[in-house]
């Protein structure tokens, strides 16, 4: 590797990651000398990997994806107490004292495309209660939504995460009818390539509802296609992916991502 400032995404497997495409596009667009790579890191090598990175003056930080989002708590400083809230980290960087700091940009990335949407006092339904759903719930709690309905295979898990974030609402089984909410979010892997489909009847949703699917492979999920067929507003998974990447980019390279070129970036990601 050339001796330039660089960041990376680590995971196992990692070849499927779109993060290098996103960050390299921004680096080139801004004329920043740097790189962003994908690095396969096994669970056994995680601690050693970060010891090496910590001592590398060219390393700016690492995004962390599966299966390391929980294990990385053991090798970094969790200054924001995210282990007790989100239970996952997706971003690691070094501090001035040579330490390693962990954070999570998923909640901010989820909220970004909803920035101009008035969520206060609104009702939301969330599919799933796993790691991604926790980021979504943390984000929703910051926007003072009125109520959240969680649809999940395991009701007790849904009840626990709802209470953890101080949200009021209802827990329903996954096959229950969708309630007439203002925002419906699929925060599960259902509908993703290689996963079971997400089968929902969207007819209870009002015409003003927004349907948000965090899945981005495929980008046009069956849920979004059904929502668009009904004329509902939709948000796809690339919105959250790009949003959380922009927050990480600012941490790593101390520059704002050139978001005015999002349309060009989307074309690149979907080519």
């Amino acid at each position: 590797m050339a001796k330039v400032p660089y960041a990376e995404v680590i995971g196992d497997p990692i070849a499927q990651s779109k993060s290098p495409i996103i960050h390299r596009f921004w680096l080139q667009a801004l004329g920043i000398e740097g790189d962003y790579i994908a690095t396969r890191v096994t669970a056994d090598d995680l601690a050693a990997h970060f010891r090496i990175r910590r001592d590398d003056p060219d390393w700016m930080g690492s995004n962390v994806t599966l299966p390391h989002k929980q294990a990385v708590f053991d090798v970094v400083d969790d200054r924001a107490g995210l282990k007790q809230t989100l239970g996952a980290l997706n971003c690691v960087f070094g501090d001035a004292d040579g330490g390693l700091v962990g954070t999570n940009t998923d909640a901010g990335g989820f909220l970004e495309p909803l920035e101009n949407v008035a969520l206060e006092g609104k009702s939301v339904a969330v599919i799933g209660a796993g790691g991604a759903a926790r980021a979504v719930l943390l984000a929703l709690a910051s926007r003072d939504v009125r109520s959240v309905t969680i649809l999940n295979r395991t009701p007790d898990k849904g009840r626990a995460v709802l209470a953890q974030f101080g949200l009021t609402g209802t827990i329903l089984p996954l096959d229950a009818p969708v309630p007439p909410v203002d925002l419906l979010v699929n925060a599960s892997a259902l509908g993703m390539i290689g996963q079971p489909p997400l089968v929902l009847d969207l007819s209870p949703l009002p015409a003003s509802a927004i349907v948000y699917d965090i899945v981005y492979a495929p980008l046009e999920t069956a849920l979004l296609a059904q929502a668009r067929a009904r004329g509902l507003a939709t948000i796809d998974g690339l919105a959250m992916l790009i949003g959380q990447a922009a927050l990480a980019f600012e941490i790593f390279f101390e520059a704002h991502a050139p978001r005015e070129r999002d349309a060009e970036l989307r074309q690149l990601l979907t080519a």
Side-chain angles (χ1 to χ4, degrees):
M1 185 194 307
K3 286 293 184 179
V4 296
Y6 73 94
E8 66 180 345
V9 58
I10 68 165
D12 185 18
I14 199 58
Q16 79 287 352
S17 176
K18 294 182 182 294
S19 294
I21 298 173
I22 297 171
H23 288 264
R24 285 173 173 170
F25 175 83
W26 288 335
L27 287 168
Q28 183 177 21
L30 294 173
I32 294 175
E33 185 181 22
D35 198 6
Y36 187 100
I37 61 175
T39 307
R40 180 175 174 264
V41 177
T42 66
D44 291 341
D45 291 336
L46 185 63
H49 177 80
F50 278 113
R51 283 196 297 270
I52 293 169
R53 288 293 189 253
R54 183 188 58 201
D55 297 332
D56 184 349
D58 294 316
W59 174 74
M60 299 291 102
S62 302
N63 282 122
V64 180
T65 189
L66 298 175
H68 305 315
K69 286 190 171 188
Q70 289 79 40
V72 75
F73 278 109
D74 294 334
V75 297
V76 304
D77 189 1
D78 175 26
R79 295 179 184 172
L82 293 173
K83 188 170 187 177
Q84 302 304 317
T85 54
L86 289 184
L89 299 174
N90 76 338
C91 188
V92 175
F93 58 96
D95 65 11
D97 298 322
L100 294 171
V101 182
T103 188
N104 194 306
T105 61
D106 283 335
F110 167 77
L111 271 185
E112 191 191 74
L114 295 167
E115 184 178 348
N116 296 318
V117 176
L119 291 178
E120 290 74 16
K122 297 297 181 66
S123 58
V124 184
V126 177
I127 313 297
R134 293 167 75 93
V136 168
L137 292 171
L138 177 65
L140 293 173
S142 74
R143 291 289 298 271
D144 297 325
V145 297
R146 184 182 80 248
S147 65
V148 177
T149 300
I150 294 181
L151 292 90
N152 194 55
R153 288 195 183 93
T154 312
D156 286 346
K157 187 176 181 181
R159 200 169 291 112
V161 296
L162 196 64
Q164 180 180 0
F165 294 105
L167 293 162
T168 60
T170 307
I171 310 300
L172 297 175
L174 196 56
D175 57 356
V178 172
V181 293
D182 301 297
L183 172 65
L184 172 67
V185 182
N186 176 32
S188 75
L190 295 173
M192 186 183 296
I193 292 173
Q195 298 292 326
L198 177 59
V199 181
L200 296 176
D201 176 11
L202 300 184
S203 59
L205 295 180
S208 59
I210 300 171
V211 177
Y212 191 156
D213 197 337
I214 71 167
V215 169
Y216 61 85
L219 186 59
E220 176 75 353
T221 62
L223 176 66
L224 292 181
Q226 184 185 354
R228 287 177 182 139
R230 277 205 56 211
L232 300 176
T234 60
I235 301 172
D236 64 38
L238 278 189
M240 180 173 174
L241 180 70
I242 294 171
Q244 65 82 26
L247 295 172
F249 185 84
E250 187 169 347
I251 292 171
F252 299 152
F253 299 105
E254 299 181 346
H256 293 295
R259 303 303 303 278
E260 69 277 5
R261 297 182 64 175
D262 273 8
E264 189 180 345
L265 176 58
R266 278 179 161 268
Q267 284 189 326
L268 190 63
L269 289 168
T270 56

